[in-house]
Amino acid sequence: MNSPALPAVVPAWFVVLPDTDEAAAVAARALPHATESHPHVSGRPWLMGRWDPRELTVGECGGVRLAVLGEHAVTVEEAARAAAAATDPASLDRYARSWHGSYHLLASVHGRVRAQGTVTGVRSLFHGGAHRAHLAADRADVLADLIGAPLDEGRLALQMLSLGVLHPLSARPVWRGVEALPGQDYLVLERDGQAHRKRWWWLPRRDVPLTEGAAMLRDELRRAVEVRVRDRDVVTADLGGLDSTAVVCTAVAAGAKVVAYTAATHDPRGDDVHWARRTVEELSSADGGGRIEHHIVPADDFPLTFDGVDALTDVLDAPSLYAVDRNRRMSLLHLAADRGSTVHLGGFGGDELLAGASARVHELLLRRPRTAVHHARGYLAKYRWSRRRAVRQLLDRRPYGAWLEQIATDLTDPLPSLEEPLFQWCSPARMPPWATADAVDAVRSLIRQEAAVARPLGPGHGEHRELATMQAVSRFARHLNQMTRQRGLLFASPFYDDRVVEAGLAVRPEERVTPWRYKPLVVEATRGVVPEASRTRATKANATLEEEVGLRRHREALLALCEDSRLAGLGLIDADVWRAWCSGPVSAELENVLLHPTVGCEVWLRTRETQHRPADG
């Protein structure tokens, strides 16, 4: 078998191997491209790859070796103590449930391997392979390359679904024989080459009062931010909405020197710049301006959506919805890297955790019906949802599998209108009108296979929807990291840390998720940390206007993707239908949920063709 290409191309990756001769033979193909490797006690390869040396801590004791790789504060001594206490893979649960940050926990326990990522999937893990050579990796493409897994056109067609939150299908890798490890599980690689999953994480009890929960969240967010800012001369950060403001203010309170960036928009109703200025003014007056530096990027200097979409070269391990906004988002991160930052803080994850899901009303109907009705009326008034459709959704008690079956049946129906309430398990996914019959049939078959065995992520609609959305949106943070690693920059999302997620989800749902207050949990948690006026802000800007203008300005770049379409070459889309659709008027607010996934898939297939170029370093 030829030497794999991807380990030579991507700037950051790792592979975890069982203690077998067969796995060692596979590892030998990737070893020349690794900058660091660690063996089992037997001497066979256990962990290898490319990473920032500051992110890895390894502790050893006897026949146990333990690695913590990512954003964390675990010392060699702590890791060694954990290794000394480990008797089998399961004995490491207490450390997985207590250490702070965002990291992969990897261990060789007397030749048995434990490997896990994070609950939300911002640190994902993938696994696959043949008998006695079952491997795990943090990038699905690197693993597929190592084991020779072929592209699965049906799984690729799944990535064309609108919305991208169809659990667990939306997280499924696009290679046959490569699987994603659920965030609540860890993977065990046995000495005989077998592999199996075991659960280590459960939802917390959801009975903590808001006041008590706010104190918990404040403490956990502080720890999460401190993990990122310690021992750094400067960190950069987004400063826009309430969530990123909480992160920036927490970093300043921790004593960090923060360089914050706010992107202006063409939308006259977008008020991020106004609130960012107020926040910085108050922080500066409190400490003399020594710990925060603020830059506003004018709207005309900021790329619009679809900018350069036909010329992207990022090597990602999956198609990304972020392709349409890649240049827009990366422009700020390039400024951060040019400033000398190695860590950039963002507010990703805050919406899902702090605003929560209106589908929580489902559970409230059974437990506190009067409160549920009160909340439902609030959502209907706030978002102008259809009352009739709301009642139908709230009375729908189908299990998750039956709901998935309905999605399969309705795949080619029109998108739900903006009046459609959000009380279901998730928003109904649809295939775009340019998908071929073969693509639709393949996706329908995969959904129905999953419907027969699927289980929701939580006991109710709200818990499931929040966790499913976290897992879907966390892919953006993963992909941003895959884009920025070439510049030596880490994109950090403290709200996705396991401990922060647990603190948020522990709060009584009816107090954390309500139409009557904007993100009450973070408002209370940041009292005394975020300046008072900014703390009680109840607005959130969006980039809909930037997308509408961007589509008009960069339509030629979009249409260029329709020419010699790789998706059409695979028989998944009708390029003529796609071209005609892209040539006409498109609603950025509604219809682009159909367009973005296809663009992501097309761009990804094209960048795969350039992956023979080795990465620098």
Side-chain angles (χ1 to χ4, degrees):
M1 189 178 292
N2 295 330
S3 177
L6 276 165
V9 172
V10 297
W13 56 273
F14 73 77
V15 176
V16 184
L17 305 109
D19 195 1
T20 68
D21 289 335
E22 290 81 359
V26 175
R29 301 170 52 237
L31 186 58
H33 309 296
T35 57
E36 195 169 338
S37 63
H38 296 267
H40 292 281
V41 173
S42 68
R44 297 187 185 96
W46 160 50
L47 171 64
M48 65 173 62
R50 289 180 174 180
W51 52 75
D52 184 332
R54 293 172 296 182
E55 296 181 11
L56 178 69
T57 296
V58 177
E60 303 180 17
C61 185
V64 179
R65 298 185 176 181
L66 182 144
V68 187
L69 180 55
E71 305 151 66
H72 62 90
V74 179
T75 64
V76 172
E77 292 75 19
E78 287 178 287
R81 285 195 293 271
T87 55
D88 59 21
S91 63
L92 294 170
D93 277 5
R94 66 189 181 101
Y95 300 100
R97 295 170 183 157
S98 60
W99 284 336
H100 296 87
S102 176
Y103 51 83
H104 287 93
L105 177 61
L106 313 164
S108 172
V109 184
H110 306 292
R112 302 177 68 200
V113 171
R114 172 174 174 150
Q116 70 182 70
T118 56
V119 170
T120 63
V122 72
R123 297 269 176 179
S124 290
L125 202 66
F126 306 92
H127 62 99
H131 177 63
R132 296 185 65 82
H134 199 96
L135 319 180
D138 67 328
R139 288 188 58 126
D141 53 355
V142 169
L143 178 60
D145 204 31
L146 279 174
I147 66 175
L151 183 70
D152 188 316
E153 287 85 356
R155 290 187 176 196
L156 180 59
L158 272 171
Q159 300 300 315
M160 292 165 54
L161 281 168
S162 65
L163 305 171
V165 283
L166 197 64
H167 169 80
L169 294 150
S170 54
R172 186 163 289 168
V174 296
W175 290 274
R176 196 170 305 123
V178 177
E179 301 297 337
L181 181 72
Q184 71 271 17
D185 293 348
Y186 64 82
L187 183 72
V188 179
L189 303 177
E190 300 286 5
R191 287 174 296 231
D192 62 1
Q194 298 299 307
H196 58 90
R197 295 164 18 193
K198 188 170 182 180
R199 186 157 185 165
W200 71 275
W201 188 88
W202 286 264
L203 278 165
R205 291 181 59 185
R206 298 167 293 287
D207 58 0
V208 176
L210 181 66
T211 302
E212 182 182 339
M216 291 167 49
L217 181 68
R218 180 170 56 249
D219 289 346
E220 293 301 345
L221 184 59
R222 174 183 55 79
R223 293 187 182 100
V225 169
E226 287 176 347
V227 161
R228 276 79 175 194
V229 305
R230 63 188 176 92
D231 301 328
R232 298 185 190 272
D233 295 332
V234 64
V235 296
T236 51
D238 297 335
L239 181 56
L242 186 57
D243 307 332
S244 59
T245 299
V247 171
V248 166
C249 294
T250 300
V252 171
K257 167 67 177 179
V258 180
V259 180
Y261 296 92
T262 304
T265 69
H266 294 90
D267 187 348
R269 295 174 297 176
D271 55 359
D272 279 355
V273 170
H274 165 77
W275 288 109
R277 281 180 171 148
R278 291 193 62 172
T279 299
V280 171
E281 287 171 2
E282 295 198 39
L283 290 176
S284 297
S285 64
D287 78 337
R291 292 206 301 271
I292 187 163
E293 174 185 320
H294 187 215
H295 299 275
I296 296 171
V297 182
D300 289 339
D301 295 344
F302 203 51
L304 295 166
T305 302
F306 297 106
D307 176 68
V309 75
D310 61 332
L312 302 183
T313 59
D314 300 297
V315 181
L316 306 180
D317 72 342
S320 178
L321 296 176
Y322 238 35
V324 299
D325 274 321
R326 187 270 180 197
N327 285 355
R328 180 174 175 80
R329 191 68 183 99
M330 286 297 290
S331 64
L332 279 187
L333 296 175
H334 284 314
L335 291 174
D338 291 342
R339 184 62 174 77
S341 175
T342 56
V343 169
H344 188 88
L345 301 171
F348 274 48
D351 284 340
E352 306 95 272
L353 183 66
L354 304 170
S358 55
R360 291 275 185 181
V361 172
H362 258 284
E363 179 212 6
L364 277 177
L365 272 175
L366 299 177
R367 190 167 53 86
R368 299 185 61 184
R370 295 179 68 178
T371 300
V373 171
H374 182 58
H375 280 205
R377 286 173 173 167
Y379 285 121
L380 264 60
K382 184 175 183 178
Y383 299 115
R384 299 181 181 179
W385 288 342
S386 161
R387 182 182 299 272
R388 178 178 58 83
R389 293 174 186 169
V391 170
R392 186 172 66 232
Q393 288 184 15
L394 289 172
L395 293 178
D396 183 0
R397 294 290 161 178
R398 285 177 299 173
Y400 183 61
W403 180 83
L404 273 182
E405 180 66 37
Q406 188 65 51
I407 295 297
T409 300
D410 298 341
L411 266 184
T412 56
D413 283 5
L415 283 169
S417 73
L418 294 176
E419 294 182 348
E420 188 74 15
L422 302 180
F423 295 137
Q424 302 183 67
W425 286 106
C426 270
S427 297
R430 298 287 187 260
M431 287 294 281
W434 48 84
T436 62
D438 286 345
V440 172
D441 288 345
V443 171
R444 183 171 282 130
S445 176
L446 288 169
I447 294 175
R448 284 178 169 156
Q449 289 173 24
E450 195 62 48
V453 296
R455 297 292 181 271
L457 289 167
H461 291 65
E463 291 91 347
H464 170 82
R465 189 161 188 149
E466 287 171 4
L467 286 170
T469 307
M470 286 182 198
Q471 292 179 1
V473 180
S474 72
R475 296 178 73 187
F476 297 159
R478 285 191 68 241
H479 290 151
L480 280 174
N481 265 311
Q482 291 176 6
M483 296 174 191
T484 60
R485 284 308 180 103
Q486 198 74 50
R487 296 291 306 272
L489 182 67
L490 172 72
F491 184 83
S493 306
F495 280 114
Y496 278 137
D497 288 9
D498 292 347
R499 304 290 86 78
V500 177
V501 170
E502 290 163 357
L505 294 182
V507 176
R508 292 170 181 164
E510 61 268 30
E511 296 185 52
R512 176 174 64 88
V513 186
T514 168
W516 309 109
R517 291 184 66 189
Y518 184 65
K519 297 183 178 178
L521 179 57
V522 75
V523 169
E524 295 303 320
T526 55
R527 191 182 297 274
V529 177
V530 173
E532 196 62 18
S534 301
R535 184 180 69 87
T536 55
R537 171 188 178 184
T539 60
K540 178 179 175 63
N542 66 56
T544 300
L545 182 60
E546 314 302 300
E547 183 163 344
E548 290 178 348
V549 175
L551 183 57
R552 291 196 297 270
R553 188 170 299 176
H554 301 300
R555 193 181 297 270
E556 290 304 313
L558 178 61
L559 289 172
L561 295 178
C562 302
E563 303 306 320
D564 191 24
S565 165
R566 278 49 168 186
L567 285 168
L570 293 174
L572 299 179
I573 70 167
D574 183 322
D576 292 334
V577 175
W578 190 31
R579 185 185 302 106
W581 201 87
C582 292
S583 300
V586 178
S587 166
E589 194 167 9
L590 177 62
E591 293 176 305
N592 271 0
V593 299
L594 291 172
L595 177 60
H596 291 186
T598 299
V599 172
C601 290
E602 181 67 33
V603 167
W604 182 79
L605 286 171
R606 290 169 182 253
T607 58
R608 292 274 299 169
E609 298 169 358
T610 68
Q611 291 173 359
H612 64 278
R613 297 197 301 259
D616 295 335

